Amino acid sequence: MFIYLSKKIAIPNSTRLKCVSWNKDQGYIACGGEEGLLKVLKLETQTDDAKLKGLAAPSNLSMNQTLEGHSGAVQVVTWNEQYQKLTTSDQNGLIIVWMLYKGSWYEEMINNRNKSVVRSMSWNASGQKICIVYEDGAVIVGSVDGNRIWGKELKGIQLAHVAWSPDSKILLFGMANGEIHIYDNQGNFIVKMTISCLINVTGAISIAGIHWYPGTEGYIEPDCPCLAVCFDNGRGQIMRYENDENPILLDTQMNVASIQWNHCGSVLAVAGCQKNITMDKDVNVVQFYTPFGEHLRTLKVPGKQMSAVSWEGGGLRIGLAVDSFIYFANIRPDYKWGYCSNTVVYAYTRPDRLEYSVVFWDTKNNEKFVKYVKSLISITTSGDFCILATKADDNQPQFVLVLCNSIGTPLDSKYIDIDPLFVTMTKTHVIAASKEAFYTWQYRVAKKLTAMEINQVAKTRKEGRERVYHIDDTPTGNTDGTLDFAKAFTATRDHICCITATDKTLIVGRESGIIQRYSLPNVALLQKYTLNYRAYQLSLNCNSSRLAIIDIAGVLTFLDLDSRASSGDGFVGDQAAAPSGDPSKFERKDVWDMKWANDNPDLFAMMEKTRMYVFRNLDPEEPIQTSGYICNFEDLEIKSVLLDEIMKDPERPNKDYLINFEIRSLRDSRALIEKVGIEDASQFIEDNPHPRLWRLLAEAALQKLDLKTAEQAFVRCKDYQGIEFVKRLGNLQSESMKQAEVVAYFGRFEEAERMYLDMDRRDLAINLRIKLGDWFRVLQLLKTGSGDSDDALLEQAYNAIGDYFADRQKWVNAVQYYLQGRKQERLAECYYMLEDYDGLERLANSLPENHKLLPDIGQMFVTVGMCEQAVNAYLKCNQPKAAVEACVHLNQWNKAVELAKDHNMKEIGPLLSKYASHLLEKNKRLEAVELYRKAHHFLDAAKLMFKIADEEAKKRTRPLRVKKLYVLAALLVENYHEQMKTSQQSKAKGKKSEATSALAGLLEEDASSTDNRIVDNAWRGAEAYHFFLLAQRQLYDGNVDAAMKTALHLRDYEDIIPAVEIYSLLAICSSANRAFGTCSRAFIKLESLESLSPEQRQSYEELALEIFTKYPPKDNRKSELDSISEGVEGKLPTCIVTGRIISEYQFWMCSSCKHCAMEQEINRYNFCPLCHSALA
């Protein structure tokens, strides 16, 4: 960082100031002093110029109000920023709270204990509570609305300071004797703070300041020290939390009056005075430190005695109370930033994240990319790349250099063991230096590598692309430096303090003022130069002939590295005469930034306070007011970025914060061309040649169609395209054509188009728009044309507009244009994206056969499960195999089998059985049945189904379910019969009668079927369970006779339903029907069953005895079933509704299962009671 005094405000009547406080949010400055002086000031910048922003803009006092109310010297002023209140107190103990009303400050509350004097007041971070401490040990905590929350008298203690913790849970009380006590926020004592910085200090000391940074802007790294305590003797400590065992220790070697953190906790200002050894008077100084105790800068301030220091809210200015003046100093912070290929890279902290947010802001397209980086140390840029130096995550002290491109994509990274305090990079090398050593890495970028080299990149660490050198070594360049970090930790008396490099030279500055010059890429120590000051920033010009040095005090000087003095004697004075300007005489003060031009070794720009100077041959041009940081200087233009403005709202960088300045020769040439004319301008540029100026001249000559001058100028600036363009212009006949071409060359396309159309050359206007890719305009022009406009061009335009919409995923618009442009490939894609499958189907139908798009459309249909459309598409392009695969993929096996048969494909059978066995392995039998059924393998399906039904029947659980399974199996068999019949018919093709073909079908079936039980008696299982259920239903309905008759049928089905069940049911039904003869026969059958255990048989016998002792085993009436069945050997059908035998000649028969029922009974039903098919 750099700091310089910028302004001084005198207090009237020379009243001495005691305290000053700068409101961080609204920018008010309150200062209190003797004789009750209290003023509120506000500095505001008044400027209409967009380029004058920040510190460069002139600032005036927009508020200067004296607040009346105190009589004694005002000793404490403190702001409550959240509620816009000012709290002040004087030596008489009077406290006043002031509020802002209509632009002026008024008293809001007054309080006076009349006992003691207020030593310190502090608002907590949220602005809700204030803690006031009095000298006599009284503590009061009050709320923002003036209510007292609690009070306490600390006996026998003199209080001097108070501070809140960021979370408002802890209060620190500073005592007059230098002790600090830690209390909780209710006023209960916790512990004394350990003060390590006062070890070995004797004598009376007092606390100069306690400031605990509340983390409002985030921390510069995780676990960062933020609590600063400083004593009047110059000793101090910075702690991570209130009882930190090992704080950072400071010894400022000055008498401290006041301390304060800046707005983001990255810089601590310590103000006071220093004994001057030569003269007997004290010097006022402000020392600046990082949170880790590293000294950044010293600011000397005139005057007798400094009493207070306060930062501005943005951290860019600091206010100092000295005697009866307020001095203001401007600060140029060391932002972490860089500039690579039109991209500004900058980093900032946020309170909600531990990491740094690194923003890659592409200023050309105004896009930004954010990358979050932990423990960022620095950002360095060169060309198109940037290096982020960070600490490694682990506890060991390792560091990482990450090479990124201009949108923040990491391309490569290296772990190093030395702390990269100073990093510089060239087009080929990254050089990082600690205090004792420097590391060089020759980086490579993938886009320039061939595949072969990429494989070698992994091995490069061995090949000496990385080296480490100690600062006291003298490398000769021919021996390979090794990657040995061990030597990097050897101590040195004279530390490195800055580095810079170009493609062929590396310069390292040391604290004693020695400058070491090395060659690159083979690092060899060429020369040492001795300066009598310590360099802070180094910079080499574009041909490495001159070195610019800014020292620690901001003085800019130059050193000629003249290549002729290669004797290495290190003596600078008598070198050969410098090429331009005498650098030994040159010196500028208060310089905080400088940049050489990339294309001229004698041209550079520098920032001095809030002015930018451009120097040519060490002669300055008139300065420009700005406070920007210089990004780039080439082509006689300086690009500068207002980082201070960006950092106020880093998430929304604005194009206005990037400023281009043209240097004088460019401005002059432009003025000459405009005012005087091309001839004189050409002479001036001849005297001050630069490619940029020649280009300016060439463009001006083109405007005037002075082709000769234009060509000469293009030759001078080596612009081959320009030369070609001039030649082409020379070949054109008409003047207006030339004019139009020139207008187009300068990018004024609207104008060029208008000129073409005025010349009635619509074709040229269209060509211009096609070149620009503005197809909307092409379409307009084509449509306005008379006559038949070119159809091919029209289609091209429609398709290009379709592409435009498709690229932006506006599929609906794209479809309309593709339809007109007949671009089927993209049309299919759009339909698919829109899920407009009807449109896709229409497209497939409209395409000719074997069109190359059909397979893709087929695939699209497959992905959304539309089998039929997919098959049609595949068949249309003659790919039956793909069609079958699609069916298989979508589980449409019947379709697959059909297709395979139609196209004589062999492989469907094996595929089917493979899939079926796979399902069966997983015990998915019903899926397997479904698969066979879809594939029309009805017999296999039926077999499986019977198997499932038999198993289910064995479980003896739900007879209805078993019946359903048997019905399904039987229906599959019926399907099989049907299939056989039709296959025979199709073979016969109507030569024979239907009967013969059906017969042939049956014969074939017979021949092929091994499993006759299944085919012939398909319905037995279903019948058995049907009657079994029917009998029970009739029994429960009280229709006992019918129940018994139905149960009698079950005797034929002992192979399906266990005999025990059948005869038990029969016994119950017949006994209920009082047909004890039948009952007795059932019991006899039951008792003779093999499968019963003796106990069961015993119980049956006892039951029979009980029944038949009461009732004789005779039927009252003879069962019709017996009489008939005996007579006609059971040929008569049974009614499936009632279970009775049908003796009439007229009865109903089901078309599916071929079972019969009585006409009058079936009329009540809509579905067949057995197979549940709808009644015709």
Side-chain angles (χ1 to χ4, degrees):
M1 62 176 278
F2 184 72
I3 181 162
Y4 58 90
L5 289 171
S6 60
K7 201 179 191 72
K8 167 175 156 186
I9 294 178
I11 301 299
N13 310 330
S14 301
T15 313
R16 291 186 59 113
L17 291 174
K18 294 267 190 193
C19 48
V20 62
S21 179
W22 202 325
N23 181 321
K24 301 262 186 296
D25 285 359
Q26 289 86 26
Y28 299 109
I29 305 161
C31 52
E34 294 178 344
E35 299 159 26
L37 168 92
L38 177 60
K39 282 179 102 59
V40 175
L41 316 170
K42 188 172 186 182
L43 283 177
E44 281 208 286
T45 56
Q46 277 103 6
T47 171
D48 305 323
D49 187 354
K51 288 187 180 177
L52 281 184
K53 281 203 171 78
L55 300 180
S59 56
N60 308 348
L61 280 178
S62 65
M63 175 181 275
N64 182 0
Q65 188 189 348
T66 304
L67 276 54
E68 308 284 347
H70 290 289
S71 51
V74 177
Q75 292 175 326
V76 186
V77 294
T78 174
W79 287 102
N80 178 343
E81 279 136 7
Q82 284 75 4
Y83 292 92
Q84 282 204 29
K85 290 185 190 326
L86 172 65
T87 317
T88 57
S89 75
D90 62 20
Q91 69 191 59
N92 306 328
L94 172 70
I95 301 173
I96 305 182
V97 180
W98 308 83
M99 56 180 271
L100 184 66
Y101 177 71
K102 292 192 175 167
S104 297
W105 294 91
Y106 296 95
E107 289 178 9
E108 185 184 17
M109 292 177 258
I110 291 188
N111 180 16
N112 198 347
R113 268 178 81 229
N114 293 325
K115 271 190 191 167
S116 175
V117 52
V118 175
R119 276 285 159 227
S120 179
M121 298 186 286
S122 173
W123 287 97
N124 70 350
S126 65
Q128 299 276 354
K129 297 181 192 171
I130 187 169
C131 183
I132 303 167
V133 296
Y134 289 83
E135 196 168 50
D136 65 355
V139 177
I140 298 174
V141 172
S143 70
V144 66
D145 47 19
N147 297 324
R148 178 182 173 129
I149 299 174
W150 57 264
K152 206 163 194 170
E153 303 267 345
L154 305 180
K155 295 280 179 287
I157 287 179
Q158 270 197 307
L159 290 174
H161 283 274
V162 61
W164 288 94
S165 67
D167 59 5
S168 308
K169 288 183 178 166
I170 284 173
L171 280 164
L172 303 180
F173 293 130
M175 315 295 166
N177 63 1
E179 286 183 0
I180 297 175
H181 292 188
I182 302 172
Y183 280 71
D184 71 6
N185 59 6
Q186 297 304 315
N188 305 313
F189 174 74
I190 302 175
V191 70
K192 266 191 195 180
M193 183 186 285
T194 321
I195 301 197
S196 323
C197 61
L198 292 182
I199 293 170
N200 309 336
V201 173
T202 51
I205 48 148
S206 67
I207 300 170
I210 305 175
H211 190 193
W212 201 333
Y213 165 61
T216 39
E217 298 273 326
Y219 294 92
I220 57 172
E221 68 171 68
D223 203 24
C224 177
C226 55
L227 166 56
V229 178
C230 205
F231 296 87
D232 63 344
N233 64 357
R235 297 291 183 97
Q237 64 186 43
I238 310 177
M239 305 154 72
R240 289 171 179 79
Y241 43 91
E242 69 280 359
N243 38 26
D244 188 351
E245 292 296 317
N246 46 357
I248 310 277
L249 302 182
L250 296 178
D251 185 359
T252 60
Q253 297 178 345
M254 57 191 255
N255 289 350
V256 181
S258 170
I259 68 167
Q260 198 186 19
W261 284 110
N262 69 347
H263 67 301
C264 63
S266 62
V267 181
L268 177 67
V270 182
C273 59
Q274 225 168 13
K275 282 264 182 293
N276 197 329
I277 300 152
T278 50
M279 293 135 49
D280 286 340
K281 68 181 191 29
D282 290 353
V283 185
N284 289 319
V285 290
V286 187
Q287 305 279 17
F288 294 90
Y289 292 91
T290 68
F292 303 100
E294 294 148 16
H295 179 253
L296 290 167
R297 282 282 156 155
T298 304
L299 174 71
K300 291 189 173 137
V301 185
K304 290 207 182 85
Q305 194 194 356
M306 176 147 31
S307 56
V309 57
S310 187
W311 287 86
E312 182 205 20
L316 299 176
R317 284 188 289 194
I318 195 165
L320 308 163
V322 182
D323 306 334
S324 61
F325 299 100
I326 302 178
Y327 283 92
F328 292 100
N330 285 356
I331 287 160
R332 306 313 295 126
D334 286 333
Y335 293 117
K336 294 177 170 38
W337 79 287
Y339 179 82
C340 56
S341 69
N342 291 320
T343 301
V344 177
V345 187
Y346 59 89
Y348 67 98
T349 53
R350 282 168 40 173
D352 56 342
R353 287 194 88 106
L354 286 174
E355 306 104 327
Y356 269 90
S357 305
V358 181
V359 180
F360 290 80
W361 174 38
D362 177 349
T363 56
K364 206 168 179 182
N365 308 325
N366 206 7
E367 295 179 319
K368 65 185 220 312
F369 307 89
V370 185
K371 187 178 168 64
Y372 297 103
V373 181
K374 259 202 187 136
S375 311
L376 179 71
I377 301 169
S378 65
I379 295 175
T380 315
T381 51
S382 165
D384 300 345
F385 303 103
C386 85
I387 285 279
L388 305 178
T390 66
K391 280 189 186 159
D393 290 349
D394 317 310
N395 301 329
Q396 74 255 38
Q398 256 207 328
F399 303 90
V400 196
L401 299 177
V402 185
L403 176 72
C404 295
N405 63 10
S406 60
I407 58 167
T409 312
L411 306 173
D412 200 354
S413 63
K414 293 284 183 234
Y415 278 79
I416 57 173
D417 295 347
I418 61 169
D419 190 347
L421 298 172
F422 315 100
V423 184
T424 184
M425 79 187 279
T426 67
K427 290 189 179 67
T428 51
H429 285 75
V430 174
I431 298 109
S434 63
K435 287 182 172 169
E436 302 84 19
F438 59 92
Y439 154 93
T440 67
W441 162 29
Q442 185 178 347
Y443 66 90
R444 307 174 85 187
V445 184
K447 71 175 182 189
K448 300 189 179 71
L449 297 185
T450 63
M452 210 166 86
E453 288 173 295
I454 286 174
N455 298 335
Q456 293 168 356
V457 169
K459 309 170 193 156
T460 52
R461 200 145 202 173
K462 300 173 197 145
E463 294 167 16
R465 295 202 165 278
E466 298 170 78
R467 315 220 174 113
V468 175
Y469 302 92
H470 194 274
I471 188 63
D472 295 331
D473 292 350
T474 48
T476 56
N478 48 18
T479 54
D480 263 8
T482 49
L483 185 64
D484 173 19
F485 282 109
K487 63 181 176 192
F489 299 108
T490 320
T492 175
R493 287 239 177 91
D494 188 2
H495 287 157
I496 297 176
C497 62
C498 48
I499 62 173
T500 187
T502 58
D503 294 345
K504 50 190 181 191
T505 307
L506 166 65
I507 304 283
V508 180
R510 303 179 71 169
E511 287 180 357
S512 63
I514 288 177
I515 301 270
Q516 297 185 191
R517 173 177 164 204
Y518 298 85
S519 63
L520 279 179
N522 297 333
V523 178
L525 181 61
L526 299 179
Q527 213 161 353
K528 288 189 181 184
Y529 307 90
T530 311
L531 310 172
N532 49 7
Y533 45 82
R534 177 174 146 200
Y536 174 72
Q537 183 185 330
L538 301 174
S539 183
L540 277 166
N541 64 357
C542 60
N543 64 4
S544 309
S545 62
R546 187 171 279 181
L547 176 68
I549 304 151
I550 302 177
D551 74 359
I552 197 81
V555 177
L556 171 68
T557 50
F558 288 96
L559 177 64
D560 267 343
L561 310 175
D562 205 31
S563 48
R564 280 167 288 186
S566 54
S567 53
D569 53 4
F571 186 63
V572 185
D574 293 339
Q575 283 184 8
S580 50
D582 184 5
S584 55
K585 304 273 194 307
F586 183 89
E587 182 177 289
R588 297 295 292 224
K589 292 195 171 67
D590 284 327
V591 177
W592 53 270
D593 194 10
M594 75 85 61
K595 193 92 171 169
W596 289 99
N598 297 352
D599 44 17
N600 184 336
D602 297 330
L603 209 55
F604 70 89
M606 56 161 251
M607 297 299 305
E608 183 178 294
K609 294 192 174 173
T610 53
R611 290 187 295 279
M612 181 197 286
Y613 288 91
V614 176
F615 284 79
R616 180 191 289 275
N617 301 347
L618 304 186
D619 293 332
E621 294 181 4
E622 66 279 2
I624 302 162
Q625 277 287 330
T626 176
S627 60
Y629 286 71
I630 304 169
C631 297
N632 198 20
F633 184 2
E634 68 180 327
D635 261 357
L636 310 184
E637 268 192 332
I638 298 166
K639 224 185 209 104
S640 158
V641 59
L642 298 174
L643 279 174
D644 303 332
E645 302 302 311
I646 287 180
M647 291 301 179
K648 286 178 189 167
D649 187 4
E651 293 176 31
R652 285 173 283 280
N654 183 337
K655 272 291 209 13
D656 299 347
Y657 301 154
L658 201 76
I659 307 177
N660 282 342
F661 299 102
E662 297 189 337
I663 78 163
R664 195 168 64 202
S665 60
L666 186 54
R667 295 197 301 269
D668 291 353
S669 307
R670 188 165 277 140
L672 269 176
I673 289 170
E674 280 168 14
K675 307 274 190 317
V676 185
I678 285 182
E679 292 300 315
D680 301 17
S682 163
Q683 195 48 52
F684 172 77
I685 293 170
E686 194 76 59
D687 301 339
N688 301 283
H690 188 283
R692 175 68 193 268
L693 299 181
W694 284 117
R695 193 159 51 216
L696 193 70
L697 181 67
E699 289 174 359
L702 271 182
Q703 297 274 28
K704 297 198 164 60
L705 291 183
D706 176 352
L707 299 187
K708 188 159 175 277
T709 314
E711 185 165 18
Q712 284 170 343
F714 275 133
V715 169
R716 295 297 288 269
C717 65
K718 300 183 178 153
D719 181 348
Y720 183 68
Q721 276 88 1
I723 300 169
E724 286 290 297
F725 177 67
V726 173
K727 276 190 183 158
R728 209 171 77 233
L729 278 187
N731 296 336
L732 292 174
Q733 303 308 311
S734 95
E735 206 65 6
S736 50
M737 279 287 281
K738 285 183 185 172
Q739 215 102 47
E741 287 285 324
V742 170
V743 169
Y745 178 80
F746 286 120
R748 302 204 299 272
F749 302 117
E750 303 297 323
E751 204 179 317
E753 184 189 303
R754 211 167 42 250
M755 291 166 85
Y756 283 138
L757 291 174
D758 292 346
M759 289 187 278
D760 203 20
R761 289 298 301 272
R762 199 171 55 104
D763 55 331
L764 293 178
I766 289 173
N767 281 346
L768 173 71
R769 287 298 176 186
I770 289 177
K771 264 187 210 151
L772 294 175
D774 181 357
W775 290 97
F776 289 95
R777 186 75 189 125
V778 172
L779 197 59
Q780 270 174 318
L781 289 170
L782 283 171
K783 284 183 173 168
T784 54
S786 55
D788 51 342
S789 61
D790 186 354
D791 288 348
L793 248 181
L794 251 179
E795 280 193 10
Q796 194 185 347
Y798 281 130
N799 289 333
I801 295 173
D803 290 342
Y804 169 87
F805 283 122
D807 291 344
R808 284 155 187 71
Q809 303 198 349
K810 297 187 172 159
W811 307 109
V812 183
N813 312 36
V815 164
Q816 299 163 1
Y817 285 101
Y818 284 142
L819 277 171
Q820 286 169 292
R822 301 211 291 265
K823 191 166 187 181
Q824 285 128 341
E825 298 81 27
R826 297 303 299 265
L827 196 54
E829 187 186 331
C830 292
Y831 280 141
Y832 186 62
M833 288 306 206
L834 284 171
E835 300 181 9
D836 176 3
Y837 303 119
D838 299 342
L840 197 54
E841 196 176 347
R842 283 198 302 277
L843 176 64
N845 294 340
S846 69
L847 290 174
E849 286 194 3
N850 292 337
H851 191 280
K852 64 175 186 301
L853 192 56
L854 285 165
D856 299 347
I857 293 179
Q859 186 52 39
M860 287 177 189
F861 281 130
V862 171
T863 53
V864 293
M866 298 172 71
C867 182
E868 192 184 336
Q869 289 87 337
V871 168
N872 293 343
Y874 281 130
L875 290 181
K876 195 164 181 181
C877 61
N878 204 9
Q879 293 191 7
K881 192 158 188 278
V884 171
E885 274 162 18
C887 293
V888 169
H889 180 68
L890 297 173
N891 253 334
Q892 302 289 328
W893 288 92
N894 46 354
K895 190 85 180 150
V897 175
E898 199 180 301
L899 282 170
K901 282 189 179 161
D902 290 352
H903 295 274
N904 298 328
M905 290 165 76
K906 301 282 180 290
E907 57 271 12
I908 193 73
L911 204 76
L912 190 67
S913 51
K914 198 160 103 190
Y915 186 51
S917 59
H918 162 74
L919 286 173
L920 291 172
E921 262 169 45
K922 292 201 166 170
N923 208 10
K924 295 185 172 172
R925 289 188 300 182
L926 287 170
E927 282 92 329
V929 170
E930 184 67 359
L931 171 72
Y932 278 135
R933 208 186 106 216
K934 280 189 172 166
H936 291 259
H937 285 214
F938 295 120
L939 197 58
D940 296 331
K943 283 180 195 167
L944 252 180
M945 205 65 228
F946 275 121
K947 209 176 194 173
I948 295 169
D950 291 346
E951 277 175 28
E952 199 65 30
K954 284 201 184 81
K955 291 184 192 162
R956 322 284 337 114
T957 47
R958 295 153 60 189
L960 182 60
R961 182 172 175 183
V962 179
K963 175 190 161 182
K964 285 178 183 171
L965 291 170
Y966 275 124
V967 167
L968 187 52
L971 285 172
L972 285 169
V973 175
E974 292 297 329
N975 288 344
Y976 168 67
H977 289 316
E978 197 58 39
Q979 188 187 21
M980 280 304 179
K981 203 162 91 182
T982 50
S983 72
Q984 274 308 320
Q985 275 175 5
S986 59
K987 278 185 197 168
K989 288 241 164 49
K991 284 180 199 156
K992 307 172 203 155
S993 65
E994 207 166 292
T996 39
S997 62
L999 184 63
L1002 290 173
L1003 289 171
E1004 184 182 323
E1005 195 178 293
D1006 221 29
S1008 63
S1009 153
T1010 46
D1011 214 331
N1012 284 335
R1013 177 185 84 88
I1014 290 178
V1015 178
D1016 299 347
N1017 304 329
W1019 289 97
R1020 267 182 70 74
E1023 287 164 11
Y1025 276 91
H1026 175 70
F1027 290 132
F1028 185 61
L1029 290 163
L1030 182 62
Q1032 312 220 25
R1033 214 176 290 123
Q1034 289 168 330
L1035 178 64
Y1036 281 99
D1037 289 347
N1039 194 348
V1040 285
D1041 184 43
M1044 184 182 90
K1045 285 178 181 152
T1046 309
L1048 282 169
H1049 284 298
L1050 288 174
R1051 291 176 307 181
D1052 300 340
Y1053 299 107
E1054 281 180 31
D1055 56 333
I1056 292 165
I1057 299 177
V1060 186
E1061 305 259 337
I1062 294 174
Y1063 291 108
S1064 304
L1065 181 62
L1066 182 56
I1068 290 171
C1069 293
S1070 51
S1071 65
N1073 197 19
R1074 297 202 155 316
F1076 292 110
T1078 309
C1079 184
S1080 142
R1081 287 202 290 281
F1083 267 108
I1084 293 166
K1085 192 79 178 168
L1086 276 173
E1087 286 166 25
S1088 65
L1089 283 178
E1090 301 289 318
S1091 55
L1092 295 182
S1093 62
E1095 294 81 43
Q1096 288 170 319
R1097 188 169 289 130
Q1098 180 70 34
S1099 55
Y1100 277 129
E1101 284 170 3
E1102 284 168 9
L1103 183 60
L1105 200 63
E1106 205 176 316
I1107 293 173
F1108 296 122
T1109 47
K1110 281 190 193 169
Y1111 306 105
K1114 274 202 192 99
D1115 285 354
N1116 301 347
R1117 52 182 188 276
K1118 196 166 167 46
S1119 155
E1120 60 179 274
L1121 185 70
D1122 287 1
S1123 63
I1124 294 172
S1125 58
E1126 283 160 12
V1128 201
E1129 293 192 348
K1131 287 286 189 301
L1132 288 179
T1134 314
C1135 171
I1136 54 174
V1137 181
T1138 59
R1140 293 214 295 277
I1141 284 176
I1142 303 171
S1143 47
E1144 295 106 28
Y1145 289 109
Q1146 283 290 319
F1147 53 79
W1148 168 90
M1149 183 186 267
C1150 172
S1151 59
S1152 290
C1153 61
K1154 310 288 185 283
H1155 283 70
C1156 308
M1158 299 179 191
E1159 294 261 358
Q1160 66 272 28
E1161 298 289 348
I1162 197 72
N1163 287 340
R1164 290 175 298 154
Y1165 288 85
N1166 290 328
F1167 296 96
C1168 168
L1170 180 63
C1171 68
H1172 301 277
S1173 53
L1175 301 187

